[in-house]
């Protein structure tokens, strides 16, 4: 079953506002209905009880009473019903009389009412419904005789007045219908303040989302206009303070990075001239050492100095190259290159054209790239495989179709134990060495970092992984047509 899309904040705010308005309207209508119904029925009930009592007190009763006297009594009182006409029933001993020719309403006279009237000389009343669901007010009132010197004595005459409450029920129903009809326009009108409320809440949220997007894209000078003094305004002030602190921190870091890059570039540049002189001297001394014109200890020391000076020269060149990448001063000098021929030249130049390195080089693969940087890429990968992996090293070149154009893929695989899982995420980090216990090594720790930057400069990617069988595999994926 497909999940429903989450509702937006605007929709939820409006829905919540309308829900509160609907609950308030329903609660108010229910309370109004209850109070109004009670008030209307109570008023009718009090009027009817008071009228019946007054009418009964105004009658002169001759006891004992005959049937025609009882009939005349109920007929006379039945004509004076308030607030609505009523039907009056009279009981005196075994005599029964009714003001209505067809006393159908006598069914609403209950035994409970008769018991209450018998126990209360002031009368009793009930609201009952007949079998058709119609409401009636039934009042039982005993006729009493005032003795003048003591409590009133019952005469035995009991009158029951039955008044229909249809008019009152219609009035209450009309009020309910009016409330129902007014609720729908009221809810429709409530949409307007709901939209205004949602807008007042969502505007700061939208501003904050827009500011966060700009901040995420590097625009650290982004600020939010603070409106009011509520919680959202406090959040906006906190955002501005955070953005200001972040901008200051990033500015300091960038300045420190620029100083570090300039320092590395300046130091590397200043070291090139003395290193060139040192290399020239060590070459002459190497010739003397090789010619056995020096004693063995001196010759060994000279060879060590020559080796370390060469390493220092390589490190300085690598630092210069990294500085150019950091300063975005590295450029591509593109040329049309035969990939198979370029790979063979790289291997021959470094004397790797023996059985230590095997290459699968399809013919007629040509690419537009920077020959010098391509030589650096391949040389660093093969040299790293021979140094840290194990021979034989296999080079595989192929092309692969891609929606943006055909791609050149070069895989360099060694026969060593592979790359440790904890080392793999850091394999292209600068100055990273897998064996931290080795304080001296043949490399500077910048070779793979320079290789990655050269591949990126061509618009490609470089991945490191372990082969399914054994050994590490580095994959260069770059377009056949690089863009300078």
């Amino acid at each position: 079953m497909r999940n429903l899309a989450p509702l937006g904040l605007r929709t939820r705010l409006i829905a919540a506002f309308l829900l509160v308005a609907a609950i308030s309207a329903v609660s108010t209508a229910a309370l109004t209905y209850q109070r109004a119904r009670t008030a209307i029925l109570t008023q009718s009930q009090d009027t009817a009880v008071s009228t019946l009592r007054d009418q009964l007190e105004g009658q002169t009763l001759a006891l004992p009473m005959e049937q025609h006297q009882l009939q005349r009594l109920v007929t006379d009182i039945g004509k004076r019903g308030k607030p609505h006409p009523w039907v009056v029933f009279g009981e005196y001993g075994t005599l029964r009389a009714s003001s209505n020719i067809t006393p159908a309403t006598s069914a609403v006279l209950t035994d409970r009412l008769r018991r209450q009237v018998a126990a209360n000389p002031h009368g009793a009343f009930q609201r009952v419904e007949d079998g058709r669901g119609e409401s009636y007010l039934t009042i039982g009132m005993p006729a009493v005789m005032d003795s003048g010197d003591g409590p009133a004595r019952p005469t035995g005459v009991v009158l029951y007045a039955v008044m229909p409450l249809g008019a009152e029920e219609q009035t209450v129903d009309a009020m309910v219908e009016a409330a129902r009809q007014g609720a729908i326009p009221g809810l429709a009108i409530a949409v307007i303040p709901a939209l205004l409320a949602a807008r007042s809440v969502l505007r700061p949220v939208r501003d904050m989302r827009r500011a966060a997007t700009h901040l995420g894209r590097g625009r650290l000078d982004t600020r939010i206009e603070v409106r009011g003094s509520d919680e959202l305004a406090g959040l906006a002030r906190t955002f501005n303070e955070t953005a200001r602190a972040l901008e200051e921190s990033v500015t300091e870091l960038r300045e420190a990075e620029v100083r570090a890059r300039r320092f590395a570039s300046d130091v590397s540049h200043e070291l090139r001239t003395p290193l060139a002189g040192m290399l020239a001297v060590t070459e002459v001394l190497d010739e003397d050492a090789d010619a056995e014109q020096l004693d063995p200890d001196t010759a060994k020391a000279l060879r060590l100095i020559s080796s370390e000076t060469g390493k220092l020269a390589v490190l300085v060149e690598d630092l210069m190259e990294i500085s150019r990448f950091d300063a975005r001063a590295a450029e591509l000098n593109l040329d049309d290159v035969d990939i198979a021929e370029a790979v063979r030249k790289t291997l021959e130049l470094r004397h790797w054209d023996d059985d230590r390195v095997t290459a699968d080089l399809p013919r007629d693969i040509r690419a537009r790239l920077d020959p010098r940087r391509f030589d650096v890429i391949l040389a660093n990968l093969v040299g790293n495989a021979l140094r840290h992996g194990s021979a034989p090293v296999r080079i595989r070149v192929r092309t692969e179709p891609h929606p943006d154009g055909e791609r050149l893929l070069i895989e360099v695989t060694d026969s060593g134990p592979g790359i440790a899982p904890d080392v793999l995420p850091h394999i292209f980090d600068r100055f990273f060495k897998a064996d931290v216990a080795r304080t001296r090594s043949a490399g500077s720790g910048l070779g793979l970092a320079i290789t990655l930057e050269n591949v990126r400069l061509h618009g490609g990617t470089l991945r490191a992984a372990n082969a399914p069988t054994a050994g590490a595999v580095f994959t260069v994926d770059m377009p056949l047509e690089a863009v300078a």
Side-chain angles (χ1 to χ4, degrees), residues 9-69:
L9 185 57
R10 176 191 292 271
T11 304
R12 284 182 284 173
L13 284 173
I14 295 176
F17 195 94
L18 292 180
L19 180 61
V20 172
I23 293 175
S24 300
V26 171
S27 301
T28 302
L31 184 60
T32 302
Y33 166 76
Q34 182 182 7
R35 294 294 179 85
R37 185 174 184 273
T38 301
I40 291 173
L41 295 179
T42 300
Q43 182 180 5
S44 299
Q45 167 189 298
D46 293 344
T47 302
V49 171
S50 177
T51 300
L52 180 60
R53 180 179 291 111
D54 293 341
Q55 292 294 327
L56 187 57
E57 289 177 353
Q59 297 292 327
T60 301
L61 301 180
L63 299 177
M65 186 173 289
E66 301 293 335
Q67 177 67 38
H68 67 279
Q69 293 175 319

Side-chain angles (χ1 to χ4, degrees), residues 319-393:
L319 287 173
M320 291 286 292
E321 186 72 3
I322 283 292
S323 298
R324 282 190 286 270
F325 282 118
D326 290 341
R328 291 176 173 79
E331 298 179 350
L332 289 176
N333 297 313
L334 301 178
D335 196 4
D336 192 34
V337 176
D338 185 314
I339 298 300
E341 184 64 23
V343 172
R344 279 192 288 266
K345 285 183 178 180
T346 298
L347 298 180
E348 291 173 0
L349 182 64
R350 291 163 179 81
H351 307 291
W352 293 336
D353 52 348
D354 50 16
D355 56 357
R356 290 180 298 168
V357 181
T358 61
D360 179 9
L361 304 175
R363 297 181 180 180
D364 301 329
I365 297 181
R366 304 190 68 83
R368 185 165 180 77
L369 44 79
D370 188 323
R372 183 186 71 83
R373 295 189 183 278
F374 181 77
D375 175 76
V376 172
I377 292 171
L378 190 62
N380 282 347
L381 292 178
V382 175
N384 183 78
L386 291 173
R387 210 167 27 246
H388 302 291
S390 178
V393 174

Side-chain angles (χ1 to χ4, degrees), residues 86-390:
W86 52 29
V87 178
V88 179
F89 297 93
E91 296 181 357
Y92 179 70
T94 59
L95 300 180
R96 300 289 185 269
S98 172
S99 64
N100 196 347
I101 299 176
T102 56
T105 54
S106 62
V108 299
L109 297 178
T110 64
D111 293 336
R112 177 186 174 188
L113 179 62
R114 287 187 170 91
R115 288 193 299 269
Q116 290 178 346
V117 171
N120 188 356
H122 300 289
F125 59 87
Q126 282 185 339
R127 286 197 294 266
V128 296
E129 290 184 359
D130 62 5
R132 295 174 297 179
E134 296 181 0
S135 298
Y136 292 90
L137 174 65
T138 60
I139 307 170
M141 187 74 62
V144 296
M145 181 181 298
D146 188 3
S147 62
D149 56 354
R153 294 176 299 170
T155 62
V157 178
V158 180
L159 297 183
Y160 297 95
V162 178
M163 184 182 71
L165 297 177
E168 285 77 6
E169 294 291 345
Q170 289 177 2
T171 302
V172 173
D173 291 342
M175 295 178 61
V176 173
E177 183 64 23
R180 184 186 300 113
Q181 292 179 356
I184 296 176
L187 290 178
I189 296 174
V191 173
I192 298 175
L195 290 172
L196 295 177
R199 181 183 179 186
S200 64
V201 172
L202 291 179
R203 179 187 296 170
V205 175
R206 285 196 299 267
D207 293 344
M208 193 163 300
R209 181 183 65 181
R210 190 181 304 111
T213 301
H214 292 166
L215 198 66
R217 292 175 179 173
R219 295 174 55 180
L220 302 181
D221 58 342
T222 302
R223 299 293 184 270
I224 301 175
E225 181 181 355
V226 180
R227 302 183 182 93
S229 58
D230 55 7
E231 291 80 358
L232 291 174
L235 184 59
R237 281 190 290 271
T238 302
F239 179 91
N240 291 340
E241 294 172 0
T242 303
R244 188 177 299 107
L246 180 62
E247 183 181 17
E248 294 175 356
S249 299
V250 171
T251 300
E252 293 176 359
L253 289 174
R254 286 175 177 173
E255 292 175 353
E257 185 180 6
V258 170
R259 290 194 297 269
R261 290 176 180 174
R262 186 181 298 114
F263 174 78
S265 177
D266 293 345
V267 169
S268 301
H269 187 271
E270 294 298 327
L271 286 176
R272 294 184 73 182
T273 301
L275 276 175
M278 293 174 62
L279 287 172
V281 173
T282 54
E283 288 179 2
V284 174
L285 294 176
D286 280 342
E287 292 178 358
D288 293 341
D290 293 338
E292 297 183 354
Q293 295 179 5
L294 301 173
D295 61 86
D297 292 338
T298 303
K300 183 178 179 181
L302 287 175
R303 291 191 182 94
L304 178 61
I305 293 174
S306 177
S307 174
E308 295 300 321
T309 303
K311 293 179 183 179
L312 182 58
V314 172
L315 175 59
V316 170
E317 290 298 327
D318 288 346
L319 287 173
M320 291 286 292
E321 186 72 3
I322 283 292
S323 298
R324 282 190 286 270
F325 282 118
D326 290 341
R328 291 176 173 79
E331 298 179 350
L332 289 176
N333 297 313
L334 301 178
D335 196 4
D336 192 34
V337 176
D338 185 314
I339 298 300
E341 184 64 23
V343 172
R344 279 192 288 266
K345 285 183 178 180
T346 298
L347 298 180
E348 291 173 0
L349 182 64
R350 291 163 179 81
H351 307 291
W352 293 336
D353 52 348
D354 50 16
D355 56 357
R356 290 180 298 168
V357 181
T358 61
D360 179 9
L361 304 175
R363 297 181 180 180
D364 301 329
I365 297 181
R366 304 190 68 83
R368 185 165 180 77
L369 44 79
D370 188 323
R372 183 186 71 83
R373 295 189 183 278
F374 181 77
D375 175 76
V376 172
I377 292 171
L378 190 62
N380 282 347
L381 292 178
V382 175
N384 183 78
L386 291 173
R387 210 167 27 246
H388 302 291
S390 178

Side-chain angles (χ1 to χ4, degrees), residues 419-426 466:
I419 306 173
D422 58 331
V423 173
L424 197 56
H426 308 284
N466 289 314

